Amino acid sequence: AVAPEADGDNDAARGDAGAADLRPEAVRPGPSSPETAQLTLAQALALQKDLLEGFRAEEFQAKLRDLHRDLSEADPRKFRAERQRHFLTVQSVVLPRYGFSGDAKGVMQMMRQFEQPHINSDEEFRVTGGYLDHLLFTAPAEAVAAEKAEKAEKAEAGEEVAGAAVTDEGASKESAQGDSGPGPGKTAMVRVHIEQHTERGTGLELSFLVPARATISDVKAAAARELDDDKVKRCKIARRQGEILVALKDGEALGKRRRFLILGLERTAGSDAHPAAHKA
C-alpha cells in the first residue's frame, strides 16, 4: 500500500503493499476502530501479499505505464495525482478486508501500522516492500524509458542509412570525375548529436557527421573542429543511464550510439561557436 503522495515520489512503498489473503477472519483487525487496531506481523504480511497480487496484474501495470508515458514529463503534478488514484483501485478493495477504509485515510492508517517495530524490522516484510516499490515506481518508469530509447535507436538507424546513401552518392560522383578516392560505402558517415551538460541541465547542442567506424576520441576531435576549440578534446563524452551519467572511454567504438553528453565544456549556447555548430 502506498501512502497518498505529497509533491514528490513517495518512498513509503518499501513495505506497504500486499496481495493474497489470510482467509481466517480472526487474522483481520475487523471493521471497527482501525486507529486503535494493532496489526500482527502475520496480518501485515498477508496485507502486503494481497496488494502485491493486485499491483502486479498486467492490466494494472499497463495503465501505470500509460500514465508514465503520457504525463510524467508533460504534467508531473497531474501524473502524481492520477497515479495515486490508480493505486487506490487496488487499495480500496484490499484495505477493508483488514479493517481500514478503502480511501486515502485508510492508506495513512495502514502506513502508521506498518511503522510498528515488530512489523517494520521483519526481513520478509522489508523484502516484499522493496519488490512493491519496484513494481509501483521503478518498473513502469524503466519500461517507458526503454520504449523511448528503442524509438531513438530506430530513428538514429534511419539517419545512418540516409548518411551512408549521401556518402555513396558523393563517392560515385567523385569516381565519375576520375577522382581516386575510396569507393562507395567505404567512408560511410553517420550523424551524431552532442549536448553540453551543465549544472542547470543542457546547453550548447551540436550535430555533425563522423565516420561510421569512429571512436569516441574521433567524436571529440570532430566536435573540437566544429567549435574550433582544441580544449574540447580534453572533455568527457558520456551517456545517460537512468539517473546517472556514464563517461565513455576515448578508445570505445561509436557503434550504434548517436546521442551523447559532453562534460566539462566551458561554453554557452550564445558564445562564439563555430558556424557549423547548430541545434540538432
Side-chain angles (χ1 to χ4, degrees), residues 2 10 13-14 16 52 55 61 64 68 127-143:
V2 179
N10 187 340
R14 62 170 81 92
D16 36 39
L52 180 60
F55 288 148
Q61 286 291 312
L64 199 50
H68 269 273
V127 169
T128 304
Y131 181 48
L132 287 161
D133 192 34
H134 175 78
L135 277 178
L136 296 176
F137 300 103
T138 309
E142 287 181 344

Side-chain angles (χ1 to χ4, degrees), residues 224-256:
R225 289 194 296 271
E226 290 290 314
L227 295 173
D228 194 20
D229 185 353
D230 278 347
K231 291 194 294 292
V232 174
K233 296 178 182 179
R234 297 196 293 270
C235 295
K236 288 288 187 182
I237 297 292
R239 293 263 291 180
R240 189 180 298 279
Q241 291 188 5
E243 298 299 319
I244 64 173
L245 299 180
V246 177
L248 304 177
K249 296 179 180 179
D250 286 352
E252 287 188 49
L254 175 65
K256 294 184 178 181

Side-chain angles (χ1 to χ4, degrees), residues 14-144:
R14 62 170 81 92
D16 36 39
D21 190 3
L22 277 189
R23 297 301 169 188
E25 292 295 331
V27 170
R28 303 172 188 164
S32 61
S33 64
E35 292 282 3
T36 58
Q38 293 293 314
L39 288 178
T40 66
L41 176 58
Q43 291 167 342
L45 292 173
L47 200 164
Q48 273 191 323
K49 291 174 183 175
D50 274 346
L51 289 171
L52 180 60
E53 183 177 322
F55 288 148
R56 67 184 173 191
E58 178 52 33
E59 183 178 355
F60 179 90
Q61 286 291 312
K63 174 64 175 178
L64 199 50
R65 291 192 295 270
D66 289 343
L67 290 176
H68 269 273
R69 189 182 301 109
D70 299 339
L71 295 174
S72 62
E73 294 181 359
D75 192 340
R77 186 178 293 274
K78 184 177 181 181
F79 165 65
R80 290 192 292 269
E82 290 297 322
R83 181 173 62 179
Q84 194 62 50
R85 273 192 278 272
H86 187 48
F87 289 167
L88 278 171
T89 61
V90 173
Q91 294 165 333
S92 63
V93 174
V94 172
L95 266 60
R97 301 175 188 169
Y98 294 86
F100 301 104
S101 57
D103 53 18
K105 180 181 179 181
V107 174
M108 293 304 298
Q109 291 169 344
M110 176 198 64
M111 291 301 303
R112 283 195 286 271
Q113 290 292 313
F114 283 163
E115 291 171 0
Q116 299 297 315
H118 71 283
I119 294 175
N120 196 40
S121 61
D122 180 75
E123 181 66 18
E124 181 182 352
F125 179 85
R126 296 175 71 85
V127 169
T128 304
Y131 181 48
L132 287 161
D133 192 34
H134 175 78
L135 277 178
L136 296 176
F137 300 103
T138 309
E142 287 181 344
V144 172

Side-chain angles (χ1 to χ4, degrees), residues 193-207 227 240 260-271 273 277-280:
H193 307 272
I194 293 183
E195 295 182 16
Q196 175 192 17
H197 180 73
T198 69
E199 292 181 357
R200 295 183 178 180
T202 55
L204 185 71
E205 297 180 25
L206 299 174
S207 178
L227 295 173
R240 189 180 298 279
F260 304 92
L261 295 172
I262 187 165
L263 314 179
L265 179 62
E266 296 180 359
R267 190 182 273 263
T268 63
S271 62
H278 63 277
K279 286 280 185 180

